Amino acid sequence: LTGLSADTRLPITGKQSVAWEGEIDAAADGGTNFGKLDLTPLRLSSYVDISKQLLLQNGMGAQQAIVADLGRAAGAKIDAAMFAAANVTSAPGAIAGTTGVLTITEAAYSADASIYDDFMSAESKLAEGEGLQGNLAYVANPVLMKDLKRSAQVAAVSAGVQGNLVNGYPTFYSNGVTKAAGSADFLFGDFSKLYIGMFGGLDITVDPYSKAINGEVRLIVNQYIDWGVTQPGAFVKATSLTA
């Protein structure tokens, strides 16, 4: 959701129920499983001071490079909060920290095999709970990539890993996903159930005055964003052992 300027409330419809009834029997109450997701702007911010001499010698190229780096840094910070194992202070809630997200028990580590088994277990868990439907994808820590891709060669049997697809589902790797000694996390789920609210765009202010006495220009970045999951049961959080 882009271009937001005020707190936004999204209605959520949960699972309803139906039942077989006789020809003229009264219908049973299917339940009123309604909820809401509130998105409110949370601020991500930083600044960089650049010497005017650097700008004079390198033109706008130096400023543009720093602006691009600030944008990448903002994206990495968003990843680190969204895909963390637990909520990050002052940031929107982590997907894995949302009440109701499904979990699996990881397999004992086996080189080039167990991590793929964990991915299969996540698919099975989601199939049992919500069904394999929607905009399904994996997001994993890059540490898991090696074993996943080598698993396709075990016993000369294809394990369903082809490029950046695991069993046909897109697989993305992000350092924002939590890693620990001997383990790393991944998420599998329907990302159409994740709503991201952007309150304006990435706001970069060029301030030539605050640091003028030092011969510097200050670049200030602000981004206002929030996100949330409308159906936590559409996601599986998991930890794979890496040793």
Side-chain angles (χ1 to χ4, degrees):
L1 303 174
T2 60
L4 301 180
S5 59
D7 290 358
T8 301
R9 174 165 292 178
L10 302 175
I12 299 173
T13 303
K15 285 185 175 181
Q16 315 301 322
S17 63
V18 296
W20 297 104
E21 302 289 359
E23 180 180 359
I24 57 172
D25 290 342
D29 184 358
T32 53
N33 296 319
F34 297 101
K36 61 183 175 64
L37 172 64
D38 291 327
L39 299 178
T40 189
L42 298 174
R43 179 173 171 244
L44 183 64
S45 183
S46 183
Y47 73 85
V48 175
D49 293 332
I50 314 172
S51 76
K52 290 186 176 182
Q53 181 175 326
L54 175 64
L55 294 176
L56 285 171
Q57 292 178 321
N58 295 276
M60 292 303 295
Q63 181 172 314
Q64 290 169 353
I66 292 172
V67 167
D69 279 345
L70 285 170
R72 284 190 290 269
K77 208 70 174 178
I78 289 169
D79 270 11
M82 183 180 292
F83 300 123
N87 292 343
V88 174
T89 302
S90 300
I95 297 174
T98 305
T99 301
V101 169
L102 306 175
T103 62
I104 65 166
T105 300
E106 75 275 4
Y109 179 69
S110 175
D112 307 330
S114 60
I115 292 172
Y116 179 73
D117 286 347
D118 289 341
F119 275 53
M120 291 288 289
S121 295
E123 291 179 30
S124 178
K125 187 71 173 182
L126 192 63
E128 293 170 9
E130 291 283 328
L132 295 175
Q133 56 189 349
N135 186 18
L136 296 170
Y138 288 100
V139 179
N141 187 280
V143 167
L144 303 181
M145 183 188 300
K146 175 179 69 70
D147 272 38
L148 270 178
K149 293 195 172 184
R150 289 180 59 181
S151 66
Q153 309 304 318
V154 174
V157 176
S158 172
V161 181
Q162 299 179 340
N164 285 328
L165 298 177
V166 176
N167 297 326
Y169 298 116
T171 304
F172 303 95
Y173 297 96
S174 170
N175 286 312
V177 183
T178 302
K179 176 183 71 173
S183 69
D185 293 350
F186 70 90
L187 282 166
F188 177 64
D190 176 10
F191 281 85
S192 69
K193 306 302 183 187
L194 171 68
Y195 282 80
I196 302 174
M198 302 292 290
F199 297 81
L202 183 63
D203 177 21
I204 298 177
T205 301
V206 180
D207 175 7
Y209 305 112
S210 297
K211 300 288 288 184
I213 193 172
N214 297 330
E216 293 178 313
V217 174
R218 174 164 289 182
L219 298 182
I220 306 162
V221 60
N222 285 290
Q223 185 158 33
Y224 295 88
I225 186 171
D226 196 11
W227 61 75
V229 172
T230 56
Q231 292 185 17
F235 288 89
V236 180
K237 61 179 179 180
T239 297
S240 283
L241 301 179
T242 56

